[in-house]
């Protein structure tokens, strides 16, 4: 088999109609995947960096291109439900119900892995994360490739996930064969990762589908206490072992350190103003990540409005773009308003807490 190479070290950039992707372009991109190449593509959550999930060498290139730790497993993307039966050795009834309700869509199901899946994909675990994305370009690409597609978010490891093709270019230009530009991703945060290998389903990563939505379909769902990367209260430091390996790494980090303030909106705004003044007086360039409701409070600093507190989905869709915007503005510190961790707010706060890397204040 001829492997696709990129001798010039340059990445092809192909624009596609997000609603009706050109079949010729999709066939070319699908062939590149089948031949072992890397293709970045839009999904409804964030942009993914795809490789043939059944090709261990191609999958290894994903880790290389992103600088991703080897022990962090990848999600396998499918375009039809039949493929799930070939990737998982057991598909519980709850999985079927969830696929009916939420696929295609931002929900990844962790199931017991079949032994056809290369170890590079599962990072040696005996389970595999599978999802069917809702974006027409993603579905057309997977179908054109004719193979399941392993795809992490298409950012350098540790950076905020990309919600536009421009973000992918910033991180991965020259490292991958193709970027498919299908416009901005809609949800803006990654899929919910739900572990179905135990007795009770457990959310390993909150995302596009909320706990409340899942519980309507399958009853009790637990949230892994380690989702924010903080050990359970009472457990000695170092004893915390996350069930999803990705949870132990610092993530979603803009270049400047981020301080997160959580609590009642008015108190949060007051504390943020105080912090901003003190950093400004020391000559720091200050970025403020605000919600639309309280943005008017800040008269100084670079204020970026993420969205509405009353509708956390608006914040979700713009959060990663806002974090990257602070890089462009060249601020020295980012002061961020926390929101209520419910519904989509849970996913937003998970990403913010991890970006804050323990610099969290509760007022
Ligand atoms: O929305 C998304 O899920 C995006 C788009 C591209 O589909 N993908 C994505 O992939 O966010 P990535 O690699 O950035 O995050 C995958 C997460 C990691 O936290 C990883 O540890 C977890 O899923 N994961 C994958 N397979 C797993 C498994 N078998 N068991 C537990 N966690 C798993
Ligand atoms: Mg990621």
């Amino acid at each position: 088999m001829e492997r696709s190479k990129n001798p010039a070290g340059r990445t092809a950039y192909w624009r596609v109609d997000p609603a009706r992707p050109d079949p010729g372009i999709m066939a070319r991109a699908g062939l590149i995947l089948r031949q072992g190449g890397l293709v970045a593509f839009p999904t409804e959550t964030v942009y993914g960096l795809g490789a043939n999930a059944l090709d261990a060498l191609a999958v290894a290139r994903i880790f290389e291109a992103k600088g991703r730790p080897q022990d962090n497993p990848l999600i396998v993307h499918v375009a039809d439900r039949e493929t799930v039966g070939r990737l998982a050795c057991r598909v519980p009834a709850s999985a079927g119900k969830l696929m009916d309700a939420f696929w295609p869509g931002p929900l990844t199901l962790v199931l017991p892995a079949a032994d056809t899946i290369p170890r590079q994909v599962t990072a040696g675990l005996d389970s595999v994360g599978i999802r069917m994305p809702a974006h027409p370009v993603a579905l057309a690409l997977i179908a054109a490739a004719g193979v399941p597609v392993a795809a992490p978010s298409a950012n350098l490891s540790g950076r905020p996930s990309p919600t536009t093709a421009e973000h992918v270019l910033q991180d991965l230009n020259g490292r991958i064969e193709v970027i498919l530009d299908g416009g901005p991703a809609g949800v803006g945060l990654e899929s919910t990762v739900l572990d179905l290998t135990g007795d009770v389903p457990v959310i390993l990563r909150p995302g596009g589908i909320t706990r409340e939505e899942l519980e309507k379909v399958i009853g009790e769902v637990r949230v892994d206490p380690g989702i924010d990367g903080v050990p359970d209260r009472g457990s000695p430091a170092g004893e915390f072992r996350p069930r999803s390996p990705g949870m132990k790494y610092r993530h979603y980090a803009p270049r400047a350190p981020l301080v997160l303030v959580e609590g009642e909106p008015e108190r949060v705004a007051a504390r943020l103003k105080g912090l901003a003044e003190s950093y400004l007086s020391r000559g720091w360039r200050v970025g403020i990540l605000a919600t639309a409701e309280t943005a008017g409070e800040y008269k100084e600093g670079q204020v970026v409005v993420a969205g509405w507190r009353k509708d956390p989905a608006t914040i979700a869709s713009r959060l990663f773009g806002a974090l990257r915007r602070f890089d462009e503005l060249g601020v020295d510190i980012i002061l961020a308003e926390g929101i209520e961790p419910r519904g989509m707010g849970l996913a937003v706060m998970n990403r913010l807490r991890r970006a804050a890397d323990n610099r969290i204040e509760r007022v």
Side-chain angles (χ1 to χ4, degrees):
M1 183 179 72
E2 197 203 331
R3 300 193 76 82
S4 108
K5 285 197 209 78
N6 199 2
R10 284 202 292 125
T11 298
Y13 190 99
W14 297 339
R15 281 201 179 76
V16 284
D17 180 340
R20 260 182 304 280
D22 180 280
I25 295 183
M26 300 319 291
R28 278 166 74 191
L31 182 63
I32 289 171
L33 280 180
R34 213 162 45 244
Q35 294 180 334
L38 302 184
V39 177
F41 59 97
T43 83
E44 80 283 22
T45 58
V46 299
Y47 272 70
L49 176 59
N52 176 357
L54 304 177
D55 178 344
L57 279 177
V59 171
R61 286 194 55 211
I62 289 182
F63 287 84
E64 204 180 290
K66 285 188 52 121
R68 183 178 176 100
Q70 298 289 338
D71 63 347
N72 194 4
L74 304 177
I75 295 170
V76 180
H77 295 66
V78 300
D80 58 76
R81 276 173 64 163
E82 289 65 56
T83 307
V84 176
R86 283 186 273 129
L87 299 172
C89 61
R90 193 170 51 79
V91 183
S94 58
K97 287 188 204 165
L98 292 166
M99 292 180 213
D100 286 341
F102 301 113
W103 277 15
L107 177 65
T108 296
L109 301 176
V110 174
L111 301 170
D115 23 84
T116 46
I117 305 176
R119 188 174 41 76
Q120 284 78 1
V121 172
T122 60
L125 298 176
D126 50 15
S127 61
V128 59
I130 308 174
R131 103 171 177 99
M132 189 194 292
H135 199 293
V137 174
L139 289 171
L141 177 68
I142 301 162
V147 291
V149 173
S153 49
N155 50 285
L156 285 175
S157 198
R159 300 267 302 139
S161 295
T163 51
T164 66
E166 181 58 36
H167 297 160
V168 180
L169 203 59
Q170 286 167 9
D171 280 16
L172 298 178
N173 193 13
R175 294 168 175 255
I176 64 177
E177 276 69 29
V178 180
I179 298 174
L180 295 175
D181 182 353
V187 176
L189 298 181
E190 304 86 345
S191 61
T192 303
V193 177
L194 185 70
D195 185 355
L196 292 178
T197 61
D199 294 337
V200 179
V202 181
I203 293 177
L204 302 182
R205 178 178 72 184
I209 304 288
T210 64
R211 176 190 199 169
E212 293 79 357
E213 289 172 307
L214 295 171
E215 288 192 322
K216 277 189 201 139
V217 178
I218 52 166
E220 189 196 358
V221 170
R222 295 203 186 124
V223 179
D224 186 25
I227 62 162
D228 295 318
V230 178
D232 261 348
R233 252 184 266 280
S235 76
E239 271 208 359
F240 165 66
R241 236 182 276 122
R243 296 183 43 183
S244 176
M247 289 303 174
K248 69 171 180 276
Y249 297 106
R250 180 160 185 238
H251 257 125
Y252 315 117
R255 295 209 173 84
L258 183 146
V259 176
L260 176 63
V261 180
E262 302 182 19
E264 286 300 311
E266 304 77 50
R267 300 176 58 149
V268 167
R271 176 66 184 144
L272 244 56
K273 271 196 281 189
L275 283 171
E277 266 166 40
S278 95
Y279 283 111
L280 285 162
S281 71
R282 279 181 266 159
W284 291 44
R285 286 162 300 178
V286 173
I288 297 174
L289 181 61
T291 55
E293 284 90 341
T294 37
E297 300 277 328
Y298 310 108
K299 306 293 178 222
E300 290 174 299
Q302 301 276 4
V303 181
V304 174
V305 179
W308 295 87
R309 212 175 256 280
K310 62 171 187 255
D311 184 5
T314 60
I315 301 176
S317 78
R318 279 184 283 184
L319 179 67
F320 288 141
L323 294 180
R324 283 178 183 258
R325 178 79 187 120
F326 287 119
D327 290 346
E328 289 162 15
L329 292 169
V331 299
D332 302 309
I333 188 150
I334 301 165
L335 308 173
E337 290 184 359
I339 63 168
E340 203 195 345
R342 269 207 297 142
M344 274 300 272
L346 181 67
V348 168
M349 287 306 287
N350 168 256
R351 307 310 190 269
L352 276 175
R353 284 171 182 163
R354 300 177 52 129
D357 197 26
N358 280 328
R359 287 175 296 265
I360 302 173
E361 278 192 35
R362 295 192 173 80
V363 290

